[in-house]
Coordinates of all heavy atoms in Angstrom, one line a residue:
M1 N 42.6 56.5 -44.6 CA 41.8 56.0 -43.5 C 40.7 55.0 -44.1 O 39.7 54.8 -43.5 CB 41.0 57.1 -42.8 CG 41.9 57.9 -41.9 SD 41.3 57.6 -40.3 CE 40.8 59.2 -39.8
K2 N 41.0 54.4 -45.2 CA 40.1 53.5 -45.7 C 40.4 52.1 -45.1 O 41.4 51.9 -44.5 CB 40.3 53.4 -47.3 CG 39.8 54.7 -48.0 CD 40.0 54.5 -49.5 CE 39.6 55.8 -50.1 NZ 39.8 55.8 -51.5
G3 N 39.6 51.1 -45.3 CA 39.7 49.9 -44.7 C 38.7 49.6 -43.6 O 37.9 50.4 -43.2
K4 N 38.8 48.4 -43.1 CA 37.8 48.0 -42.1 C 38.3 48.5 -40.8 O 39.4 48.7 -40.5 CB 37.7 46.4 -42.2 CG 37.2 45.9 -43.5 CD 37.0 44.4 -43.5 CE 36.5 44.0 -44.8 NZ 36.3 42.5 -44.8
V5 N 37.2 48.6 -39.9 CA 37.5 49.1 -38.6 C 36.9 48.1 -37.5 O 35.9 47.5 -37.7 CB 36.7 50.4 -38.4 CG1 36.8 51.0 -37.0 CG2 37.2 51.4 -39.4
V6 N 37.6 48.0 -36.4 CA 37.2 47.3 -35.2 C 36.9 48.4 -34.2 O 37.7 49.2 -33.9 CB 38.2 46.3 -34.7 CG1 37.7 45.8 -33.4 CG2 38.5 45.2 -35.7
E7 N 35.6 48.5 -33.7 CA 35.2 49.5 -32.8 C 35.2 48.9 -31.4 O 34.7 47.8 -31.2 CB 33.8 50.0 -33.1 CG 33.3 51.1 -32.2 CD 31.9 51.5 -32.6 OE1 31.8 52.4 -33.5 OE2 30.9 51.0 -32.1
V8 N 35.9 49.6 -30.5 CA 35.9 49.2 -29.1 C 35.1 50.2 -28.3 O 35.4 51.4 -28.3 CB 37.3 49.1 -28.5 CG1 37.3 48.7 -27.0 CG2 38.1 48.1 -29.3
R9 N 34.0 49.8 -27.6 CA 33.2 50.6 -26.7 C 33.5 50.3 -25.3 O 33.4 49.2 -24.9 CB 31.8 50.4 -27.0 CG 31.3 50.7 -28.5 CD 29.9 50.4 -28.7 NE 29.6 50.4 -30.1 CZ 28.6 49.9 -30.7 NH1 27.7 49.2 -30.0 NH2 28.4 49.9 -32.0
I10 N 33.9 51.3 -24.5 CA 34.3 51.1 -23.2 C 33.4 51.9 -22.3 O 33.3 53.1 -22.4 CB 35.8 51.6 -22.9 CG1 36.7 50.8 -23.9 CG2 36.2 51.4 -21.5 CD1 38.1 51.3 -23.9
G11 N 32.7 51.2 -21.4 CA 31.8 51.8 -20.4 C 32.6 52.4 -19.3 O 33.5 51.8 -18.8
I12 N 32.2 53.6 -18.9 CA 32.9 54.3 -17.8 C 31.9 54.5 -16.7 O 30.8 55.0 -16.9 CB 33.5 55.7 -18.3 CG1 34.4 55.5 -19.5 CG2 34.2 56.4 -17.1 CD1 35.6 54.7 -19.3
A13 N 32.3 54.2 -15.4 CA 31.5 54.4 -14.2 C 31.0 55.8 -14.1 O 31.7 56.7 -14.3 CB 32.3 53.9 -13.0
E14 N 29.7 55.9 -13.7 CA 29.0 57.2 -13.5 C 29.0 58.1 -14.7 O 28.9 59.3 -14.5 CB 29.6 57.8 -12.3 CG 29.5 57.0 -11.0 CD 30.2 57.6 -9.8 OE1 30.5 58.8 -9.8 OE2 30.5 56.8 -8.9
T15 N 29.1 57.5 -15.9 CA 29.1 58.3 -17.1 C 28.2 57.6 -18.1 O 28.3 56.4 -18.4 CB 30.5 58.4 -17.8 OG1 31.4 59.0 -16.8 CG2 30.5 59.3 -19.0
P16 N 27.2 58.4 -18.6 CA 26.2 57.6 -19.5 C 26.8 57.3 -20.9 O 26.3 56.4 -21.5 CB 25.1 58.7 -19.6 CG 25.7 60.0 -19.3 CD 26.8 59.7 -18.3
Q17 N 27.8 58.0 -21.3 CA 28.3 57.7 -22.7 C 29.6 56.8 -22.5 O 30.3 56.8 -21.6 CB 28.7 59.0 -23.4 CG 27.5 59.8 -23.7 CD 27.9 61.0 -24.6 OE1 28.9 61.6 -24.3 NE2 27.1 61.3 -25.6
S18 N 29.7 56.0 -23.6 CA 30.9 55.1 -23.7 C 32.1 55.8 -24.4 O 31.8 56.8 -25.2 CB 30.6 53.9 -24.5 OG 29.6 53.1 -23.8
V19 N 33.3 55.4 -24.1 CA 34.4 55.8 -24.8 C 34.5 54.9 -26.1 O 34.5 53.7 -25.9 CB 35.7 55.7 -24.0 CG1 37.0 56.0 -24.9 CG2 35.7 56.7 -22.8
I20 N 34.5 55.5 -27.2 CA 34.5 54.7 -28.5 C 35.9 54.9 -29.2 O 36.2 56.0 -29.5 CB 33.4 55.0 -29.4 CG1 32.0 54.7 -28.7 CG2 33.5 54.2 -30.7 CD1 30.8 55.2 -29.4
V21 N 36.6 53.8 -29.4 CA 37.9 53.9 -30.1 C 37.8 53.0 -31.3 O 37.4 51.8 -31.3 CB 39.0 53.4 -29.2 CG1 40.3 53.5 -29.9 CG2 39.0 54.1 -27.9
N22 N 38.1 53.6 -32.5 CA 38.1 52.8 -33.8 C 39.5 52.3 -34.0 O 40.5 53.2 -34.2 CB 37.6 53.7 -34.9 CG 36.2 54.0 -34.8 OD1 35.4 53.1 -34.4 ND2 35.8 55.2 -35.0
L23 N 39.7 51.0 -34.1 CA 41.0 50.5 -34.3 C 41.0 49.8 -35.7 O 40.0 49.5 -36.3 CB 41.3 49.3 -33.3 CG 41.2 49.7 -31.8 CD1 41.3 48.5 -31.0 CD2 42.2 50.7 -31.5
G24 N 42.2 49.7 -36.3 CA 42.3 49.0 -37.6 C 41.9 47.6 -37.5 O 42.1 46.9 -36.5
D25 N 41.4 47.0 -38.6 CA 41.1 45.6 -38.6 C 42.2 44.6 -38.4 O 42.0 43.4 -38.1 CB 40.4 45.3 -39.9 CG 39.6 44.0 -39.9 OD1 39.0 43.6 -38.9 OD2 39.6 43.3 -40.9
E26 N 43.5 45.1 -38.5 CA 44.6 44.3 -38.4 C 45.0 44.1 -36.9 O 45.9 43.3 -36.6 CB 45.9 44.9 -39.1 CG 46.4 46.1 -38.4 CD 45.6 47.5 -38.6 OE1 44.7 47.5 -39.4 OE2 46.0 48.4 -37.9
I27 N 44.2 44.6 -36.0 CA 44.5 44.5 -34.6 C 44.4 43.0 -34.1 O 43.7 42.2 -34.6 CB 43.4 45.3 -33.7 CG1 43.8 45.4 -32.3 CG2 42.0 44.7 -33.9 CD1 44.9 46.4 -32.0
D28 N 45.3 42.6 -33.2 CA 45.4 41.3 -32.7 C 44.3 41.2 -31.6 O 44.4 41.7 -30.5 CB 46.8 41.1 -32.0 CG 47.0 39.7 -31.4 OD1 46.0 39.0 -31.3 OD2 48.1 39.4 -31.1
H29 N 43.2 40.5 -32.0 CA 42.0 40.4 -31.1 C 42.4 39.7 -29.8 O 41.8 40.2 -28.7 CB 40.9 39.6 -31.8 CG 40.2 40.4 -32.9 ND1 39.1 41.1 -32.7 CD2 40.6 40.6 -34.2 CE1 38.8 41.7 -33.8 NE2 39.7 41.4 -34.7
K30 N 43.2 38.7 -29.8 CA 43.6 38.0 -28.5 C 44.3 39.0 -27.6 O 44.0 39.1 -26.4 CB 44.5 36.8 -28.9 CG 44.8 36.0 -27.7 CD 45.6 34.7 -28.0 CE 45.9 33.9 -26.8 NZ 46.7 32.7 -27.2
N31 N 45.2 39.8 -28.2 CA 46.0 40.8 -27.4 C 45.0 41.9 -26.8 O 45.1 42.3 -25.7 CB 47.1 41.4 -28.2 CG 47.9 42.4 -27.4 OD1 48.2 42.2 -26.2 ND2 48.3 43.5 -28.0
L32 N 44.1 42.3 -27.7 CA 43.1 43.3 -27.3 C 42.2 42.9 -26.1 O 42.1 43.6 -25.2 CB 42.2 43.7 -28.5 CG 41.1 44.7 -28.3 CD1 41.6 46.0 -27.7 CD2 40.3 45.0 -29.5
K33 N 41.8 41.6 -26.3 CA 40.9 41.1 -25.2 C 41.7 40.9 -23.9 O 41.2 41.3 -22.8 CB 40.4 39.7 -25.6 CG 39.3 39.7 -26.6 CD 38.8 38.3 -26.9 CE 37.7 38.4 -28.0 NZ 37.3 37.0 -28.3
S34 N 43.0 40.6 -24.0 CA 43.9 40.5 -22.8 C 44.0 41.8 -22.2 O 44.0 41.9 -20.9 CB 45.2 39.8 -23.2 OG 46.0 39.7 -22.2
K35 N 44.3 42.9 -23.0 CA 44.5 44.2 -22.4 C 43.2 44.7 -21.7 O 43.3 45.3 -20.6 CB 44.8 45.2 -23.5 CG 46.2 45.1 -24.1 CD 46.5 46.0 -25.2 CE 46.7 47.4 -24.8 NZ 47.2 48.2 -25.9
L36 N 42.1 44.4 -22.3 CA 40.8 44.8 -21.7 C 40.6 44.1 -20.4 O 40.1 44.6 -19.4 CB 39.6 44.6 -22.7 CG 39.6 45.6 -23.9 CD1 38.6 45.0 -24.9 CD2 39.2 46.9 -23.4
E37 N 40.8 42.7 -20.4 CA 40.6 41.9 -19.2 C 41.6 42.4 -18.0 O 41.1 42.6 -16.9 CB 41.0 40.4 -19.5 CG 39.8 39.7 -20.2 CD 40.2 38.3 -20.4 OE1 41.0 37.7 -19.7 OE2 39.7 37.7 -21.4
D38 N 42.8 42.7 -18.4 CA 43.8 43.1 -17.4 C 43.3 44.5 -16.8 O 43.4 44.7 -15.6 CB 45.2 43.3 -18.0 CG 45.9 41.9 -18.2 OD1 45.3 40.9 -17.8 OD2 46.9 42.0 -18.9
A39 N 42.8 45.3 -17.6 CA 42.3 46.7 -17.2 C 41.1 46.5 -16.2 O 41.1 47.1 -15.1 CB 42.0 47.6 -18.3
I40 N 40.1 45.7 -16.6 CA 38.9 45.5 -15.8 C 39.3 44.8 -14.5 O 38.7 45.1 -13.5 CB 37.9 44.7 -16.7 CG1 37.4 45.6 -17.8 CG2 36.7 44.2 -15.8 CD1 36.5 44.9 -18.8
Q41 N 40.2 43.9 -14.5 CA 40.6 43.2 -13.3 C 41.5 44.0 -12.4 O 41.9 43.6 -11.3 CB 41.3 41.8 -13.7 CG 40.3 40.9 -14.3 CD 41.0 39.6 -14.8 OE1 42.3 39.4 -14.7 NE2 40.3 38.7 -15.3
G42 N 41.9 45.2 -12.9 CA 42.8 46.1 -12.1 C 44.3 45.7 -12.1 O 45.1 46.2 -11.3
K43 N 44.7 44.9 -13.1 CA 46.1 44.5 -13.2 C 47.0 45.6 -13.7 O 48.2 45.6 -13.4 CB 46.2 43.3 -14.1 CG 45.6 42.0 -13.5 CD 45.8 40.8 -14.4 CE 45.1 39.6 -13.8 NZ 45.3 38.5 -14.7
N44 N 46.4 46.6 -14.4 CA 47.1 47.7 -14.9 C 46.3 49.0 -14.5 O 45.1 49.0 -14.6 CB 47.3 47.7 -16.4 CG 48.2 46.6 -16.9 OD1 49.3 46.4 -16.3 ND2 47.8 45.9 -17.9
P45 N 46.9 50.0 -14.0 CA 46.2 51.2 -13.6 C 45.5 52.0 -14.7 O 44.5 52.6 -14.5 CB 47.2 52.1 -12.9 CG 48.5 51.6 -13.4 CD 48.4 50.2 -13.8
V46 N 46.0 51.8 -15.9 CA 45.4 52.5 -17.1 C 45.4 51.6 -18.3 O 46.2 50.6 -18.4 CB 46.2 53.8 -17.5 CG1 46.1 54.8 -16.4 CG2 47.6 53.5 -17.8
L47 N 44.5 51.9 -19.2 CA 44.4 51.2 -20.5 C 44.8 52.1 -21.6 O 44.1 53.2 -21.7 CB 43.0 50.6 -20.7 CG 42.7 50.1 -22.1 CD1 43.5 48.8 -22.3 CD2 41.2 49.8 -22.2
W48 N 45.8 51.8 -22.4 CA 46.2 52.6 -23.5 C 45.8 51.9 -24.7 O 46.0 50.7 -24.9 CB 47.8 52.7 -23.5 CG 48.3 53.8 -22.6 CD1 48.8 53.6 -21.4 CD2 48.3 55.2 -22.8 NE1 49.2 54.8 -20.8 CE2 48.9 55.7 -21.6 CE3 47.9 56.0 -23.8 CZ2 49.1 57.1 -21.5 CZ3 48.1 57.4 -23.7 CH2 48.7 57.9 -22.6
L49 N 45.2 52.6 -25.7 CA 44.9 52.1 -27.0 C 45.3 53.2 -28.0 O 45.2 54.4 -27.7 CB 43.3 51.9 -27.1 CG 42.8 50.8 -26.3 CD1 41.2 50.8 -26.3 CD2 43.3 49.4 -26.7
T50 N 45.7 52.8 -29.2 CA 46.0 53.7 -30.3 C 45.0 53.5 -31.4 O 44.9 52.4 -31.9 CB 47.5 53.4 -30.8 OG1 48.4 53.6 -29.7 CG2 47.8 54.4 -31.9
D51 N 44.3 54.6 -31.7 CA 43.3 54.4 -32.7 C 43.9 54.4 -34.1 O 45.1 54.5 -34.3 CB 42.1 55.5 -32.6 CG 42.6 56.9 -33.1 OD1 43.7 57.0 -33.6 OD2 41.8 57.8 -32.9
R52 N 43.0 54.1 -35.1 CA 43.6 54.0 -36.5 C 44.1 55.3 -37.1 O 44.8 55.2 -38.1 CB 42.5 53.4 -37.4 CG 41.3 54.2 -37.6 CD 40.2 53.6 -38.3 NE 40.4 53.8 -39.7 CZ 39.6 53.4 -40.7 NH1 38.6 52.6 -40.4 NH2 39.8 53.7 -41.9
S53 N 43.9 56.4 -36.4 CA 44.5 57.7 -36.8 C 45.8 57.9 -36.2 O 46.4 58.9 -36.4 CB 43.5 58.8 -36.5 OG 42.3 58.7 -37.2
G54 N 46.2 57.0 -35.3 CA 47.5 57.2 -34.6 C 47.4 57.9 -33.2 O 48.4 58.2 -32.6
R55 N 46.1 58.3 -32.8 CA 45.9 59.0 -31.5 C 46.0 58.0 -30.4 O 45.5 56.9 -30.5 CB 44.6 59.7 -31.5 CG 44.5 60.9 -32.5 CD 43.2 61.5 -32.4 NE 42.2 60.5 -33.0 CZ 41.0 60.8 -33.4 NH1 40.5 62.1 -33.3 NH2 40.2 59.9 -33.9
D56 N 46.7 58.3 -29.3 CA 46.8 57.5 -28.2 C 45.6 57.9 -27.2 O 45.5 59.1 -26.9 CB 48.1 57.7 -27.5 CG 49.2 57.1 -28.3 OD1 49.0 56.0 -28.9 OD2 50.3 57.7 -28.3
I57 N 44.9 56.9 -26.7 CA 43.8 57.1 -25.8 C 44.1 56.4 -24.5 O 44.5 55.2 -24.6 CB 42.5 56.7 -26.4 CG1 42.1 57.5 -27.6 CG2 41.3 56.7 -25.4 CD1 42.3 56.9 -28.9
V58 N 43.9 57.0 -23.4 CA 44.1 56.4 -22.1 C 42.8 56.4 -21.3 O 42.1 57.4 -21.3 CB 45.3 57.0 -21.3 CG1 45.1 58.4 -21.0 CG2 45.7 56.2 -20.1
V59 N 42.5 55.3 -20.6 CA 41.4 55.3 -19.8 C 41.8 54.7 -18.4 O 42.6 53.7 -18.3 CB 40.3 54.3 -20.4 CG1 39.1 54.2 -19.5 CG2 39.9 54.8 -21.7
A60 N 41.4 55.3 -17.3 CA 41.7 54.8 -16.0 C 41.0 53.4 -15.8 O 39.8 53.4 -15.8 CB 41.3 55.8 -14.9
S61 N 41.7 52.4 -15.5 CA 41.2 51.1 -15.4 C 40.1 51.0 -14.3 O 39.1 50.3 -14.4 CB 42.3 50.1 -15.1 OG 43.2 50.0 -16.2
A62 N 40.3 51.7 -13.2 CA 39.4 51.6 -12.1 C 38.0 52.1 -12.5 O 37.0 51.8 -11.8 CB 39.9 52.4 -10.9
R63 N 37.9 52.9 -13.6 CA 36.6 53.5 -14.0 C 35.9 52.6 -15.0 O 34.7 52.9 -15.4 CB 36.8 54.9 -14.5 CG 37.6 55.9 -13.6 CD 36.9 56.2 -12.3 NE 35.7 56.9 -12.7 CZ 34.6 57.0 -11.8 NH1 34.6 56.5 -10.7 NH2 33.5 57.7 -12.2
I64 N 36.6 51.6 -15.6 CA 36.0 50.8 -16.6 C 34.9 49.8 -16.0 O 35.2 49.1 -15.1 CB 37.0 50.0 -17.4 CG1 38.0 51.0 -18.1 CG2 36.4 49.1 -18.4 CD1 39.2 50.3 -18.8
T65 N 33.7 49.9 -16.6 CA 32.6 49.0 -16.1 C 32.5 47.8 -17.1 O 32.1 46.7 -16.6 CB 31.3 49.7 -16.0 OG1 30.9 50.3 -17.3 CG2 31.4 50.8 -14.9
H66 N 32.7 48.0 -18.3 CA 32.5 47.0 -19.3 C 33.2 47.4 -20.6 O 33.5 48.6 -20.8 CB 31.0 46.6 -19.6 CG 30.3 47.7 -20.1 ND1 29.8 48.8 -19.4 CD2 29.9 48.0 -21.4 CE1 29.1 49.7 -20.2 NE2 29.2 49.2 -21.4
A67 N 33.3 46.5 -21.6 CA 33.9 46.8 -22.9 C 33.2 45.9 -23.9 O 32.8 44.7 -23.6 CB 35.3 46.6 -22.9
E68 N 33.1 46.4 -25.1 CA 32.5 45.6 -26.2 C 33.4 45.8 -27.4 O 33.8 46.9 -27.7 CB 31.1 46.2 -26.5 CG 30.3 45.6 -27.6 CD 29.0 46.2 -27.9 OE1 28.6 47.2 -27.3 OE2 28.3 45.7 -28.7
I69 N 33.7 44.8 -28.1 CA 34.4 44.7 -29.3 C 33.5 44.5 -30.5 O 32.8 43.4 -30.5 CB 35.6 43.7 -29.3 CG1 36.5 44.0 -28.1 CG2 36.3 43.7 -30.6 CD1 37.5 42.8 -27.9
V70 N 33.4 45.4 -31.4 CA 32.4 45.3 -32.5 C 33.3 45.2 -33.8 O 33.9 46.1 -34.2 CB 31.5 46.5 -32.6 CG1 30.5 46.3 -33.7 CG2 30.8 46.8 -31.3
P71 N 33.3 44.0 -34.4 CA 34.1 43.8 -35.6 C 33.5 44.6 -36.8 O 32.3 45.0 -36.8 CB 34.0 42.3 -35.9 CG 32.9 41.8 -35.1 CD 32.6 42.8 -33.9
S72 N 34.3 44.8 -37.8 CA 33.9 45.6 -38.9 C 32.7 44.8 -39.6 O 32.7 43.6 -39.6 CB 35.0 45.7 -39.9 OG 35.5 44.4 -40.3
G73 N 31.8 45.6 -40.2 CA 30.7 45.0 -40.8 C 29.5 44.8 -40.0 O 28.4 44.5 -40.4
V74 N 29.6 45.0 -38.6 CA 28.5 44.8 -37.7 C 28.0 46.2 -37.4 O 28.7 47.1 -36.9 CB 28.9 44.1 -36.4 CG1 27.8 44.0 -35.4 CG2 29.5 42.7 -36.7
H75 N 26.7 46.4 -37.7 CA 26.1 47.7 -37.4 C 24.9 47.5 -36.4 O 24.2 46.6 -36.6 CB 25.6 48.4 -38.7 CG 26.6 48.6 -39.7 ND1 27.6 49.6 -39.6 CD2 27.0 47.9 -40.8 CE1 28.4 49.5 -40.6 NE2 28.1 48.5 -41.4
S76 N 24.8 48.4 -35.5 CA 23.7 48.4 -34.6 C 22.5 49.1 -35.2 O 22.7 50.0 -36.0 CB 24.1 49.0 -33.2 OG 24.5 50.3 -33.4
I77 N 21.3 48.7 -34.8 CA 20.1 49.3 -35.3 C 19.4 49.9 -34.2 O 19.3 49.4 -33.1 CB 19.2 48.2 -36.0 CG1 20.0 47.6 -37.2 CG2 17.9 48.8 -36.4 CD1 19.3 46.5 -37.8
G78 N 18.8 51.1 -34.4 CA 18.0 51.8 -33.4 C 18.8 52.9 -32.7 O 19.8 53.4 -33.2
F79 N 18.3 53.2 -31.5 CA 18.9 54.3 -30.8 C 20.0 53.7 -29.9 O 20.0 52.6 -29.4 CB 17.9 54.9 -29.9 CG 16.7 55.5 -30.6 CD1 15.6 54.8 -30.7 CD2 16.9 56.7 -31.3 CE1 14.5 55.4 -31.5 CE2 15.9 57.2 -32.0 CZ 14.7 56.6 -32.1
G80 N 21.1 54.5 -29.7 CA 22.1 53.9 -28.8 C 23.4 54.5 -29.2 O 24.4 54.6 -28.8

């Protein structure tokens, strides 16, 4: 499990916490953005992502409020 990580934070309606998925740095950013856009626009009923451990995560597209892609090496400071 070594290597760089791309973190995807997905906001869910009426839920204070985000769904956080750690993807490998080899992820195709253009494809990831496209999948997120399609989910937010309701083009697909669910968003499937596979984390760097091989776990499949599904999120109902209708519940997604926003998403953030945090590339490896970027760290947030403070509470959150």
Side-chain angles (χ1 to χ4, degrees):
M1 280 248 245
K2 295 181 181 178
K4 297 182 180 183
V5 175
V6 173
E7 182 178 274
V8 179
R9 299 176 190 161
I10 302 170
I12 305 297
E14 301 175 18
T15 304
Q17 292 185 319
S18 298
V19 172
I20 299 174
V21 181
N22 292 316
L23 306 173
D25 195 38
E26 73 283 350
I27 190 78
D28 179 348
H29 286 265
K30 186 176 179 179
N31 184 39
L32 176 60
K33 287 180 181 181
S34 179
K35 286 175 76 168
L36 290 167
E37 282 179 29
D38 287 351
I40 290 170
Q41 292 173 0
K43 293 181 181 177
N44 292 317
V46 294
L47 170 66
W48 281 100
L49 295 172
T50 303
D51 74 5
R52 64 187 269 180
S53 299
R55 293 178 291 196
D56 291 322
I57 294 105
V58 64
V59 179
S61 297
R63 307 294 296 158
I64 298 173
T65 59
H66 64 280
E68 178 182 7
I69 300 171
V70 183
S72 59
V74 176
H75 301 284
S76 56
I77 298 174
F79 301 100

